[in-house]
Amino acid sequence: MKYKALIPGILAVGVIVLLAVLLTFAGNTVLYDAQKTAFSDNNKDPSVIGVMTTEESATILPLMEELLAQTNGVVIEIDSKDFEYSEKELNTYGSLLSRLKTNSGKLKLSNTDINDFVQSSSNMQISMSILNENIKKIEDLKQTASENLGNQELLNSIAREVLLLSKEIQLTASTYEGSSKTMTDIASLYNLDTSQALAALEYVKKIAADTETTSGGGGTGGSVSANLVVVPSVVKYGDIMTISGNLKNSNFETIGIYVDSNLWKDISAKGKTAFSEKYTIGKLTTGSHFVSLLLGSQFSGQEYFTVESSPTVLTINNTKQSDGENARLLTVIGRLSTDTEKFVSNATVNLYSIETGYLASGVTDSKGIWNASAELEDGVYNIYAEFSDPSFPLESSVSEVYEVYVSSPVFYYLIIAAAVAVFAFFIFRFVKGANKRKLREQNLRKANEESLKSAAMRAAEKLRRPAARKKISAGEMLVKIYKKTVKIIAGAEEIENPETKTPREVLKMTVKHPDKVKLFTEKYEYLHYSETKVTVEDIENMNTLSLEIIEAYNEQNK
């Protein structure tokens, strides 16, 4: 019997466990909390290579060396202005960089000098792309100018645009030089060949010098006199920079505000001699940039500002698994922000699995929230997310590793069925037990009521038996019924020494059922104090009134 009593408790524990598993599968496939393990200790020392196996080292170092060499291939094609081949060389560089990122993520090298190399390689990719694009634009503009030699207004416009492109090329070349130095310094620690990367840097310096000489600043129709001010001059992602200025005259219809060579905003200048606009730092590379104004056909001078990098915080907030036929589709949701809790928007976040590599990508919204979905086979996966986009003034970051379990729909529904069945059985047992307890309580109450009735019923029955009539009179039976009833009333009404009080005194002290007690008292006084003969019928009526009073008090005390 003791073992049987333990069964409901065991079932309860089983139900709780199964329901917990069910809720996990229904809302979130993460079976365990994040492991709280960083990808690596902060280690900027080349000795980190010591934690790699020979095989792992063989996947990282050759890729680093290939990237260094590939920079030379890209820059040579840009300098020769063979843009078809320069695009191919850039694509090859991008493919090598993607492989390096994947491998460094697998080997958990996010906080090492190798990761710095990866970041600088990404900066180089952006710089080479900007150089390629701007030089191609300049060549196209030159072609347009040669075809429209008689159109002075168009020639002036082309000269203005070439001037801005030239300024951007100078800044890009400076950024390229800084990234190249970081790459070659790190590569030297691992005894990698840096000769081609150093040669590429000389080509970039030559491209910048040639472009500056070609643009010459001519053909702009002069420079507009404007006191252009940029505050603050040093900013980070998410900062708000004020671009303001005072104009010498108010004869212009519009003011074109340029950030580098790109038009940011046109504002009305009609009747204005001053303006002020708010510019939020977003997708800009780290380094120097400039602001200039276009008023009519003339550009103002440039005002420079510097964009500094900010650390980022990348998290995986939760995961969820689709239902039904798409149950193997895992969606991972997270957030990207700066270390000062500014949300990063419109940024690409890549999702990886340590077991399988790249899974999917997602783009952050205005609140920094991203999600990425991938269809996976059944099993356990260690997933992590990475942000690494040098077109933002932000440092790369990697999320913590989350262990997730992906299950097939069949297993999912089996768990549901098992949990529901056990839960239903437990509820059935609980209800059945509750009914048994209720029945026991009813039987006990009935037994108590019967015990209260028994004395009066036995007394009334004795009156019907001839032998009993000889031993006790009807008057004596009447007194017994009264005393028994008054004892019940006194106990319920808390009346002390009821045997010393008259029926009227007891009635005056009755609060809970005065009407019933009054009828009983009046009937008793009439039969007891008058000369009327007490009959068996009178006894039965008094006994019925007594039982009604007793039941009323019992019902009130439940």
Side-chain angles (χ1 to χ4, degrees):
M1 293 299 291
K2 290 182 179 179
Y3 292 111
K4 289 184 179 179
L6 290 174
I7 292 176
I10 295 171
L11 287 174
V13 173
V15 167
I16 292 170
V17 172
L18 281 172
L19 285 179
V21 173
L22 175 62
L23 291 173
T24 297
F25 277 101
N28 187 338
T29 58
V30 178
L31 295 184
Y32 310 100
D33 287 335
Q35 300 302 304
K36 305 299 181 187
T37 53
F39 266 60
S40 70
D41 295 328
N42 288 332
N43 183 2
K44 300 293 185 180
D45 192 281
S47 62
V48 71
I49 205 76
V51 305
M52 299 186 196
T53 65
T54 303
E55 181 182 354
E56 290 169 342
S57 175
T59 64
I60 293 288
L61 299 182
L63 281 173
M64 292 169 65
E65 199 161 51
E66 282 189 66
L67 276 169
L68 290 167
Q70 186 62 23
T71 58
N72 199 31
V74 175
V75 173
I76 286 174
E77 297 301 337
I78 294 174
D79 182 56
S80 64
K81 301 180 177 57
D82 193 335
F83 301 112
E84 181 179 351
Y85 277 96
S86 63
E87 287 290 342
K88 290 180 180 180
E89 295 293 336
L90 276 168
N91 290 336
T92 301
Y93 185 93
S95 177
L96 289 170
L97 179 57
S98 178
R99 287 167 54 197
L100 180 60
K101 286 182 178 179
T102 301
N103 288 337
S104 64
K106 284 183 178 180
L107 299 179
K108 306 177 183 179
L109 302 174
S110 62
N111 293 321
T112 66
D113 53 354
I114 291 179
N115 186 68
D116 290 345
F117 184 95
V118 174
Q119 182 67 34
S120 296
S121 300
S122 297
N123 292 337
M124 293 279 278
Q125 184 182 33
I126 294 290
S127 296
M128 290 186 294
S129 296
I130 293 174
L131 288 173
N132 189 60
E133 181 183 351
N134 286 354
I135 291 173
K136 187 176 184 301
K137 284 181 180 178
I138 288 176
E139 292 302 310
D140 290 341
L141 289 170
K142 286 180 180 179
Q143 181 64 31
T144 302
S146 66
E147 295 170 357
N148 295 274
L149 294 175
N151 189 337
Q152 189 58 48
E153 185 177 349
L154 178 59
L155 293 176
N156 287 340
S157 175
I158 290 173
R160 289 193 301 271
E161 190 167 354
V162 168
L163 178 61
L164 288 179
L165 291 170
S166 173
K167 293 287 185 183
E168 188 167 6
I169 287 172
Q170 313 308 313
L171 291 176
T172 303
S174 176
T175 301
Y176 179 98
E177 184 175 359
S179 299
S180 178
K181 185 177 187 308
T182 300
M183 288 178 68
T184 53
D185 286 348
I186 293 172
S188 297
L189 296 174
Y190 298 103
N191 299 317
L192 302 181
D193 183 6
T194 61
S195 58
Q196 294 193 65
L198 294 173
L201 177 57
E202 295 305 315
Y203 273 108
V204 170
K205 291 178 179 179
K206 175 180 175 295
I207 290 170
D210 291 346
T211 306
E212 187 174 20
T213 302
T214 302
S215 64
T220 64
S223 177
V224 175
S225 177
N227 296 322
L228 182 60
V229 179
V230 174
V231 179
S233 60
V234 178
V235 288
K236 294 184 177 182
Y237 179 86
D239 288 350
I240 297 176
M241 185 175 69
T242 301
I243 302 173
S244 60
N246 295 308
L247 308 177
K248 199 167 186 179
N249 58 64
S250 57
N251 297 329
F252 305 108
E253 291 289 328
T254 60
I255 300 172
I257 303 176
Y258 282 73
V259 177
D260 296 335
S261 62
N262 301 310
L263 175 64
W264 167 57
K265 194 175 188 180
D266 271 327
I267 61 173
S268 173
K270 210 167 185 180
K272 292 182 178 178
T273 57
F275 72 93
S276 180
E277 297 290 331
K278 302 293 184 182
Y279 179 82
T280 302
I281 304 301
K283 203 165 186 178
L284 279 177
T285 58
T286 303
S288 295
H289 297 267
F290 65 89
V291 175
S292 58
L293 306 178
L294 177 63
L295 297 136
S297 61
Q298 298 180 2
F299 270 105
S300 69
Q302 292 83 37
E303 188 69 19
Y304 290 86
F305 64 95
T306 301
V307 179
E308 293 185 342
S309 180
S310 297
T312 54
V313 179
L314 181 62
T315 59
I316 293 178
N317 295 346
N318 59 72
T319 67
K320 60 184 179 182
Q321 188 177 347
S322 299
D323 297 326
E325 295 179 357
N326 297 321
R328 289 189 176 93
L329 185 65
L330 180 72
T331 299
V332 182
I333 303 166
R335 170 165 275 165
L336 176 65
S337 64
T338 67
D339 62 341
T340 55
E341 299 183 348
K342 292 180 180 177
F343 300 132
V344 180
S345 61
N346 198 32
T348 299
V349 174
N350 295 318
L351 184 67
Y352 297 89
S353 159
I354 292 177
E355 293 75 17
T356 60
Y358 173 81
L359 296 178
S361 296
V363 179
T364 58
D365 63 14
S366 60
K367 297 294 184 182
I369 296 174
W370 59 271
N371 68 78
S373 299
E375 190 168 343
L376 303 171
E377 295 298 323
D378 293 356
V380 178
Y381 295 87
N382 293 282
I383 61 172
Y384 63 95
E386 181 182 18
F387 165 72
S388 180
D389 187 346
S391 61
F392 285 88
L394 298 167
E395 295 177 10
S396 300
S397 57
V398 180
S399 74
E400 294 177 338
V401 178
Y402 270 66
E403 188 176 55
V404 298
Y405 184 81
V406 177
S407 65
S408 66
V410 174
F411 183 60
Y412 175 75
Y413 291 127
L414 282 175
I415 289 178
I416 292 178
V420 170
V422 173
F423 186 71
F425 177 73
F426 178 72
I427 292 297
F428 171 76
R429 290 294 301 271
F430 178 79
V431 172
K432 187 177 179 181
N435 289 335
K436 285 184 177 179
R437 288 193 298 273
K438 185 176 180 181
L439 182 60
R440 284 198 299 270
E441 291 173 358
Q442 289 176 345
N443 291 337
L444 181 62
R445 187 167 59 251
K446 187 175 180 181
N448 290 336
E449 291 174 353
E450 289 296 329
S451 66
L452 291 172
K453 295 178 183 178
S454 60
M457 294 296 290
R458 285 195 300 270
E461 185 63 25
K462 287 179 181 179
L463 293 175
R464 294 186 177 89
R465 295 198 300 267
R469 293 191 196 99
K470 294 177 184 179
K471 295 179 181 180
I472 185 168
S473 66
E476 291 173 333
M477 181 59 67
L478 176 68
V479 173
K480 281 190 174 185
I481 292 173
Y482 172 76
K483 288 182 177 180
K484 178 199 70 172
T485 306
V486 168
K487 185 176 180 180
I488 296 295
I489 294 171
E493 300 283 357
E494 298 181 356
I495 300 173
E496 296 181 356
N497 303 318
E499 65 278 359
T500 64
K501 294 178 173 56
T502 66
R504 287 287 170 175
E505 288 174 338
V506 172
L507 175 61
K508 287 181 180 179
M509 300 174 76
T510 300
V511 177
K512 296 179 181 178
H513 301 287
D515 293 339
K516 291 182 182 293
V517 175
K518 181 181 179 183
L519 180 61
F520 178 80
T521 300
E522 290 174 350
K523 186 76 173 175
Y524 172 73
E525 287 179 337
Y526 173 75
L527 293 172
H528 184 66
Y529 296 113
S530 67
E531 297 180 357
T532 305
K533 182 180 179 179
V534 180
T535 66
V536 172
E537 185 178 359
D538 291 332
I539 293 298
E540 290 179 345
N541 289 337
M542 285 296 290
N543 189 60
T544 299
L545 289 172
S546 174
L547 290 176
E548 289 178 357
I549 291 170
I550 292 170
E551 287 178 356
Y553 280 109
N554 285 338
E555 186 67 29
Q556 189 174 34
N557 291 330
K558 287 182 181 178

